[in-house]
Amino acid sequence: MTEIKEKCGIFGAYSYSGSDVIPLMITGLRALQHRGQEAWGISTSTINPYKQKGLLTENLDKSVPILEKMTSNAAIGHLRYSTVGGSSLRHAQPMAVGNKFAIAHNGTISDTKTLEKNLKERGISPNGCNDTTLAGYRLQTLLKENNWDWYSAIEKLAEELVGAYCFLIITNDGKVFAIRDTRGFRPLCIGYHKQTESYIFASESCGLYVMGASLVRDVKQGEVVRLDKNGMDSFSFYKGERAAHCAFEYSYFAHPSSIIDGRSVYHARKELGKQLAMLYNGEADVVVPVPDSARPAALGYAMESGIAFEEGLMKDRYAKRGGIRSFIEPKMVDRERINRWMVAVKEIVNNKDVIVVDDSIVRGTSSPNIIKTLRNAGAKSVKMAVTFPPITNPCYAGIDFPTHQELVAYRTCGANATVEKANKEVAKAIGADAVGYNGIKQLCKGIGLKETELCLSCNTGDYRCLKRTSD
Ligand code: SF4
């Protein structure tokens, strides 16, 4: 079986006034584009998903005539960000499961073997399927064999699944379901759009605000929420597992305007910058953010340290793909190309001691170019302050760094590196005068959640939160 892992963004809507939700789908998916840029898709209850490669805006003109015909009061959509399996349309979502329902997934199912085995025993050959399709077909067998209602089948499926998942499902009789795993790894929220009387499900609340919808609440850990003609109701399959919200969402992945599990991403980032300044408090002339995601953190650093904040690095806005975030580009060559479109403002950094603030150092691909760019513009020294602690272990819960070897902190310091060691070794590897990472204590403080409420597996190598039983 080809193992395909999904991260992505999901969005769904159900209008109780019978309004066409397709325009809401387009607006919402566009606002979530930072979560996946390789392909997108939308399904209504006809279970005939429409999918396109690339950015939603790139394909929209040729898609409009088709989307106009999709008119529906209920739909789900998906933005894809892949690891292996390439960016082919075959793996784009939502995925049709027979003609009964379509499913869209944000996360990674780590134990696909159990799903495959269960399906093979029932004569279903899952070869070439990804984790989303496997979960979808398994759900179908549970519904069919046991004549179960949706809630019972989803509860049973959740007992079998290991990993991180938020699912949206649309059925051929027009129901929409939102499901969040029992640890709450990935974000998923519920919103309300007054003009169309629509309830909305979105990976992040930034997908709501853009259309004037309001945030109602998060989908809870181990909860399934159903929208149908009778209204909204929900069912809990939560068994008391500890939360494991992805800390990386707050530091890098999510949009700064989003509120996730009650915490503002913007304020978390700013606070993470303040934590860095308290920890290192080094002397410098100027604090410069790596655009775009590190801006709030650099502001926080500058406020706490009293060192001037300046936009000393700019992305080339006119480069074709300059707006694309380098970390989530699937090919290394693409990441490097994007990073070359970073321009230093000489007037800001020339002859200055610069503290450049970044949200994370994952592979160490972009940092050397950024440091070189600042030096070429005349910076006297370049120290890098990093809000997310050293990433020394892979992520198996929905972010694309699945191996140790690709991680610069692992390559230079091993899986159990201290912050002090990573500061020293990673500085050498990326060519900085110094590196200063936040520790886990500062990370938790900045986000405003306890260590026991966050997933920190990529920092600690402790993967107990990915086991079936609660720890
Ligand atoms: S391992 Fe790291 S990136 Fe993956 S879910 Fe946990 S905190 Fe997020």
Side-chain angles (χ1 to χ4, degrees), residues 386-450:
V386 189
T387 62
F388 199 73
I391 298 175
T392 47
N393 294 278
C395 175
Y396 305 121
I399 302 285
D400 177 22
F401 40 90
T403 64
H404 276 104
Q405 273 312 319
E406 69 193 279
L407 305 169
V408 67
Y410 172 81
R411 290 198 306 273
T412 54
C413 321
N416 302 311
T418 60
V419 167
E420 292 71 28
K421 185 161 187 204
N423 284 348
K424 213 167 129 202
E425 298 304 324
V426 174
K428 277 193 245 164
I430 64 172
D433 291 286
V435 163
Y437 283 102
N438 266 329
I440 284 177
K441 194 172 134 205
Q442 290 77 22
L443 180 72
C444 298
K445 217 165 167 198
I447 294 171
L449 288 171
K450 292 190 208 115

Coordinates of all heavy atoms in Angstrom, one line a residue, residues 386-450:
V386 N 14.4 31.7 18.3 CA 13.4 30.8 17.7 C 12.4 30.5 18.7 O 12.7 30.0 19.8 CB 14.1 29.5 17.2 CG1 13.2 28.6 16.4 CG2 15.4 29.8 16.4
T387 N 11.1 30.7 18.4 CA 10.0 30.6 19.4 C 9.7 29.1 19.7 O 9.3 28.8 20.8 CB 8.7 31.2 18.9 OG1 8.3 30.6 17.7 CG2 8.9 32.7 18.7
F388 N 9.9 28.2 18.7 CA 9.5 26.8 19.0 C 10.8 26.0 19.4 O 11.8 26.2 18.7 CB 8.9 26.2 17.7 CG 8.2 24.9 17.9 CD1 6.9 25.0 18.5 CD2 8.7 23.7 17.6 CE1 6.2 23.8 18.8 CE2 7.9 22.5 17.8 CZ 6.7 22.6 18.4
P389 N 10.7 25.3 20.5 CA 11.9 24.5 20.9 C 12.5 23.6 19.9 O 11.9 23.3 18.9 CB 11.4 23.7 22.1 CG 10.2 24.4 22.5 CD 9.6 25.0 21.3
P390 N 13.8 23.2 20.0 CA 14.4 22.3 19.0 C 13.5 21.1 18.6 O 13.1 20.4 19.5 CB 15.7 21.8 19.7 CG 15.9 22.8 20.8 CD 14.6 23.4 21.2
I391 N 13.4 21.0 17.3 CA 12.6 19.8 16.8 C 13.6 18.7 16.5 O 14.3 18.8 15.5 CB 11.8 20.2 15.5 CG1 10.8 21.4 15.9 CG2 11.1 19.1 14.9 CD1 10.1 21.9 14.7
T392 N 13.6 17.7 17.4 CA 14.6 16.6 17.3 C 13.9 15.3 16.9 O 14.6 14.3 16.8 CB 15.3 16.5 18.6 OG1 14.4 16.5 19.6 CG2 16.3 17.6 18.8
N393 N 12.6 15.3 16.8 CA 11.9 14.1 16.5 C 10.8 14.3 15.5 O 10.2 15.4 15.4 CB 11.2 13.5 17.8 CG 12.3 13.1 18.8 OD1 12.9 12.0 18.7 ND2 12.6 14.0 19.7
P394 N 10.4 13.2 14.7 CA 9.4 13.4 13.6 C 8.0 13.7 14.2 O 7.8 13.4 15.4 CB 9.5 12.1 12.9 CG 10.6 11.4 13.4 CD 11.0 11.9 14.7
C395 N 7.2 14.2 13.3 CA 5.8 14.3 13.7 C 5.0 13.2 13.0 O 5.1 13.0 11.8 CB 5.2 15.7 13.2 SG 3.4 15.8 13.5
Y396 N 4.2 12.5 13.8 CA 3.3 11.5 13.2 C 1.8 11.9 13.4 O 0.9 11.0 13.4 CB 3.5 10.1 13.9 CG 5.0 9.7 13.9 CD1 5.7 9.4 15.0 CD2 5.6 9.5 12.7 CE1 7.0 9.0 15.0 CE2 6.9 9.1 12.6 CZ 7.6 8.8 13.8 OH 8.9 8.4 13.7
A397 N 1.6 13.1 13.7 CA 0.3 13.6 14.0 C -0.2 14.7 13.1 O -1.0 15.6 13.6 CB 0.2 14.0 15.5
G398 N 0.3 14.8 11.9 CA -0.3 15.7 11.0 C 0.5 16.9 10.4 O 0.0 17.7 9.7
I399 N 1.8 16.9 10.8 CA 2.7 18.0 10.2 C 3.8 17.2 9.4 O 4.3 16.2 9.9 CB 3.2 18.9 11.2 CG1 2.1 19.6 12.0 CG2 4.2 20.0 10.6 CD1 1.4 20.7 11.3
D400 N 4.2 17.8 8.3 CA 5.1 17.1 7.4 C 6.6 17.1 7.7 O 7.3 17.8 7.1 CB 4.8 17.7 6.0 CG 5.7 17.1 5.0 OD1 6.2 15.9 5.2 OD2 6.0 17.7 3.9
F401 N 6.9 16.4 8.8 CA 8.4 16.1 9.0 C 8.4 14.7 9.5 O 8.6 14.5 10.7 CB 9.2 17.1 9.7 CG 8.6 17.7 10.9 CD1 8.7 17.2 12.2 CD2 7.9 18.9 10.8 CE1 8.2 17.7 13.3 CE2 7.3 19.5 11.9 CZ 7.4 18.9 13.2
P402 N 8.3 13.7 8.7 CA 8.1 12.3 9.1 C 9.4 11.5 9.4 O 9.3 10.4 9.9 CB 7.4 11.6 8.0 CG 7.8 12.4 6.7 CD 8.1 13.8 7.2
T403 N 10.6 12.1 9.3 CA 11.8 11.4 9.5 C 12.8 12.2 10.4 O 12.8 13.4 10.4 CB 12.6 11.0 8.2 OG1 13.0 12.3 7.6 CG2 11.7 10.3 7.2
H404 N 13.6 11.4 11.2 CA 14.6 12.1 12.0 C 15.6 12.9 11.1 O 16.0 14.0 11.4 CB 15.4 11.1 12.8 CG 14.7 10.7 14.1 ND1 14.0 9.6 14.3 CD2 14.6 11.4 15.2 CE1 13.5 9.6 15.5 NE2 13.8 10.7 16.1
Q405 N 16.1 12.2 10.0 CA 17.2 12.7 9.2 C 17.0 14.0 8.6 O 17.9 14.8 8.4 CB 17.6 11.7 8.1 CG 18.5 10.6 8.6 CD 19.7 11.1 9.3 OE1 20.3 12.1 9.0 NE2 20.1 10.4 10.4
E406 N 15.7 14.4 8.3 CA 15.5 15.7 7.7 C 15.6 16.8 8.7 O 15.6 18.0 8.3 CB 14.1 15.7 7.0 CG 12.9 15.6 8.0 CD 11.6 15.3 7.2 OE1 11.0 16.2 6.7 OE2 11.2 14.2 7.3
L407 N 15.7 16.5 10.0 CA 15.6 17.6 11.0 C 17.0 18.1 11.4 O 17.8 17.3 11.9 CB 14.9 17.0 12.3 CG 13.5 16.5 12.0 CD1 13.0 15.7 13.2 CD2 12.5 17.6 11.6
V408 N 17.3 19.3 11.2 CA 18.6 19.8 11.5 C 19.0 19.7 13.0 O 20.2 19.3 13.2 CB 18.8 21.3 11.0 CG1 18.0 22.3 11.8 CG2 20.3 21.7 11.0
A409 N 18.1 19.8 13.9 CA 18.5 19.7 15.3 C 18.8 18.3 15.6 O 19.7 18.0 16.5 CB 17.4 20.2 16.2
Y410 N 18.1 17.3 15.0 CA 18.5 15.9 15.2 C 19.8 15.6 14.6 O 20.7 14.9 15.2 CB 17.4 15.0 14.6 CG 17.8 13.5 14.6 CD1 17.7 12.8 15.8 CD2 18.4 12.9 13.5 CE1 18.1 11.4 15.8 CE2 18.8 11.6 13.5 CZ 18.6 10.9 14.7 OH 19.1 9.6 14.7
R411 N 20.0 16.0 13.4 CA 21.3 15.7 12.7 C 22.5 16.3 13.4 O 23.6 15.7 13.4 CB 21.3 16.3 11.2 CG 20.4 15.7 10.3 CD 20.7 16.0 8.8 NE 20.8 17.4 8.6 CZ 19.8 18.2 8.2 NH1 18.6 17.6 8.1 NH2 19.9 19.5 8.0
T412 N 22.3 17.4 14.1 CA 23.5 18.0 14.7 C 23.6 17.6 16.2 O 24.7 17.7 16.8 CB 23.4 19.6 14.6 OG1 22.1 20.0 15.1 CG2 23.6 20.0 13.2
C413 N 22.5 17.3 16.8 CA 22.5 17.0 18.3 C 21.9 15.7 18.8 O 21.9 15.4 19.9 CB 21.8 18.1 19.0 SG 22.0 19.8 18.4
G414 N 21.2 15.0 17.9 CA 20.5 13.8 18.3 C 19.1 14.0 18.8 O 18.7 15.2 18.9
A415 N 18.5 12.9 19.2 CA 17.0 13.0 19.5 C 16.7 13.6 20.8 O 15.6 14.1 21.1 CB 16.4 11.6 19.4
N416 N 17.7 13.6 21.7 CA 17.5 14.1 23.1 C 18.2 15.4 23.4 O 18.7 15.6 24.6 CB 17.8 13.0 24.1 CG 17.0 11.7 23.9 OD1 15.8 11.8 23.7 ND2 17.7 10.6 23.8
A417 N 18.4 16.2 22.4 CA 19.3 17.4 22.6 C 18.7 18.3 23.6 O 17.5 18.5 23.7 CB 19.4 18.1 21.3
T418 N 19.5 18.9 24.5 CA 19.1 20.0 25.3 C 19.0 21.3 24.5 O 19.6 21.4 23.4 CB 20.1 20.3 26.5 OG1 21.3 20.6 25.8 CG2 20.3 19.0 27.4
V419 N 18.3 22.3 25.0 CA 18.2 23.6 24.4 C 19.6 24.2 24.2 O 20.0 24.7 23.1 CB 17.3 24.5 25.1 CG1 17.4 26.0 24.6 CG2 15.8 24.1 25.0
E420 N 20.4 24.0 25.2 CA 21.8 24.6 25.2 C 22.6 24.0 24.1 O 23.3 24.7 23.3 CB 22.5 24.4 26.5 CG 22.0 25.2 27.7 CD 20.6 24.6 28.2 OE1 20.3 23.4 28.0 OE2 19.8 25.4 28.7
K421 N 22.5 22.7 23.9 CA 23.3 22.0 22.9 C 22.8 22.4 21.5 O 23.6 22.7 20.6 CB 23.2 20.5 23.1 CG 24.1 19.8 22.1 CD 24.4 18.4 22.5 CE 25.5 17.8 21.5 NZ 25.5 16.4 21.3
A422 N 21.5 22.4 21.4 CA 20.9 22.8 20.1 C 21.3 24.2 19.7 O 21.6 24.5 18.6 CB 19.4 22.6 20.1
N423 N 21.3 25.1 20.7 CA 21.6 26.5 20.4 C 23.0 26.6 19.8 O 23.3 27.3 18.8 CB 21.7 27.3 21.7 CG 20.3 27.7 22.3 OD1 19.3 27.5 21.5 ND2 20.2 28.1 23.5
K424 N 23.9 25.8 20.4 CA 25.3 25.8 19.9 C 25.5 25.2 18.5 O 26.1 25.7 17.6 CB 26.2 25.0 20.9 CG 27.6 25.6 21.1 CD 28.2 25.0 22.3 CE 29.6 24.4 21.9 NZ 30.1 23.4 22.8
E425 N 25.0 23.9 18.4 CA 25.2 23.2 17.2 C 24.4 23.7 16.0 O 24.9 23.7 14.9 CB 24.9 21.7 17.4 CG 25.7 21.0 18.5 CD 27.2 21.1 18.2 OE1 27.6 21.0 17.1 OE2 28.0 21.3 19.2
V426 N 23.2 24.1 16.2 CA 22.4 24.6 15.1 C 22.9 25.9 14.6 O 22.9 26.2 13.4 CB 20.9 24.7 15.5 CG1 20.1 25.3 14.4 CG2 20.3 23.3 15.7
A427 N 23.4 26.7 15.5 CA 24.1 28.0 15.1 C 25.2 27.7 14.1 O 25.3 28.4 13.1 CB 24.6 28.8 16.3
K428 N 26.0 26.7 14.4 CA 27.1 26.4 13.5 C 26.5 25.9 12.2 O 27.0 26.3 11.1 CB 27.9 25.2 14.1 CG 29.0 25.7 15.1 CD 30.0 24.5 15.4 CE 29.8 24.1 16.8 NZ 30.4 22.9 17.2
A429 N 25.5 25.1 12.2 CA 24.9 24.5 11.0 C 24.3 25.5 10.1 O 24.4 25.4 8.9 CB 23.9 23.4 11.4
I430 N 23.7 26.6 10.7 CA 23.0 27.5 9.8 C 23.9 28.8 9.6 O 23.4 29.7 8.8 CB 21.6 27.9 10.3 CG1 21.7 28.6 11.7 CG2 20.7 26.7 10.4 CD1 20.4 29.2 12.2
G431 N 25.0 28.9 10.2 CA 25.9 30.0 10.0 C 25.5 31.3 10.7 O 25.8 32.4 10.3
A432 N 24.8 31.1 11.9 CA 24.4 32.3 12.7 C 25.5 32.5 13.8 O 26.2 31.6 14.1 CB 23.1 32.0 13.4
D433 N 25.6 33.8 14.2 CA 26.5 34.1 15.3 C 26.1 33.4 16.6 O 26.9 33.1 17.5 CB 26.6 35.6 15.5 CG 27.3 36.2 14.3 OD1 28.6 36.1 14.2 OD2 26.7 36.8 13.5
A434 N 24.8 33.3 16.8 CA 24.2 32.5 17.9 C 22.8 32.2 17.6 O 22.1 32.8 16.7 CB 24.2 33.4 19.2
V435 N 22.3 31.1 18.2 CA 20.9 30.7 18.1 C 20.4 30.6 19.6 O 21.1 30.2 20.5 CB 20.7 29.4 17.4 CG1 19.4 28.8 17.6 CG2 20.9 29.6 15.9
G436 N 19.1 31.1 19.8 CA 18.5 30.9 21.1 C 17.1 30.4 20.9 O 16.2 31.1 20.4
Y437 N 16.9 29.2 21.3 CA 15.5 28.6 21.2 C 14.8 28.8 22.5 O 15.4 28.8 23.6 CB 15.6 27.0 21.1 CG 16.0 26.5 19.8 CD1 17.3 26.0 19.5 CD2 15.1 26.3 18.8 CE1 17.7 25.4 18.3 CE2 15.4 25.6 17.6 CZ 16.7 25.2 17.4 OH 17.1 24.6 16.2
N438 N 13.5 28.9 22.5 CA 12.7 28.8 23.7 C 12.8 27.3 24.2 O 12.9 26.4 23.4 CB 11.2 29.0 23.4 CG 10.8 30.5 23.6 OD1 11.3 31.1 24.5 ND2 9.8 31.0 22.9
G439 N 12.6 27.1 25.5 CA 12.5 25.8 26.0 C 11.0 25.4 26.1 O 10.1 26.3 25.8
I440 N 10.7 24.2 26.5 CA 9.3 23.8 26.6 C 8.5 24.6 27.6 O 7.3 25.0 27.4 CB 9.2 22.3 26.9 CG1 9.6 21.6 25.6 CG2 7.9 21.9 27.5 CD1 9.6 20.1 25.7
K441 N 9.2 25.0 28.7 CA 8.5 25.8 29.8 C 8.0 27.2 29.1 O 6.9 27.6 29.3 CB 9.6 26.1 30.9 CG 9.0 26.7 32.1 CD 10.0 26.7 33.2 CE 9.9 28.1 33.9 NZ 11.2 28.5 34.5
Q442 N 8.9 27.8 28.4 CA 8.6 29.1 27.7 C 7.5 28.9 26.7 O 6.6 29.7 26.5 CB 9.8 29.7 27.1 CG 10.9 30.2 28.0 CD 11.7 29.2 28.6 OE1 11.8 28.1 28.1 NE2 12.3 29.4 29.8
L443 N 7.5 27.7 26.0 CA 6.5 27.5 24.9 C 5.1 27.4 25.6 O 4.2 28.0 25.1 CB 6.9 26.1 24.2 CG 5.9 25.7 23.1 CD1 6.0 26.6 21.9 CD2 6.1 24.3 22.7
C444 N 5.1 26.6 26.6 CA 3.8 26.4 27.3 C 3.3 27.7 27.9 O 2.1 28.1 27.8 CB 3.9 25.4 28.4 SG 4.3 23.8 27.8
K445 N 4.2 28.5 28.5 CA 3.8 29.8 29.0 C 3.3 30.7 27.9 O 2.3 31.4 28.1 CB 5.0 30.4 29.8 CG 4.6 31.1 31.0 CD 5.8 31.4 31.9 CE 5.3 32.4 32.9 NZ 6.3 33.1 33.6
G446 N 4.0 30.7 26.8 CA 3.6 31.6 25.7 C 2.2 31.3 25.2 O 1.4 32.1 24.9
I447 N 2.0 30.0 25.0 CA 0.7 29.5 24.4 C -0.4 29.7 25.5 O -1.5 30.0 25.1 CB 0.8 28.1 23.9 CG1 1.8 28.0 22.7 CG2 -0.6 27.5 23.5 CD1 2.1 26.6 22.3
G448 N 0.0 29.5 26.7 CA -1.0 29.6 27.8 C -1.8 28.3 28.0 O -2.9 28.3 28.5
L449 N -1.1 27.2 27.7 CA -1.6 25.9 28.0 C -0.6 25.1 28.8 O 0.6 25.3 28.7 CB -2.0 25.1 26.7 CG -3.2 25.6 25.9 CD1 -3.3 24.9 24.6 CD2 -4.5 25.4 26.7
K450 N -1.1 24.1 29.6 CA -0.1 23.3 30.3 C 0.6 22.3 29.5 O 0.0 21.9 28.4 CB -0.9 22.5 31.4 CG -1.5 23.4 32.5 CD -2.0 22.5 33.6 CE -3.1 23.2 34.3 NZ -4.4 22.6 34.2

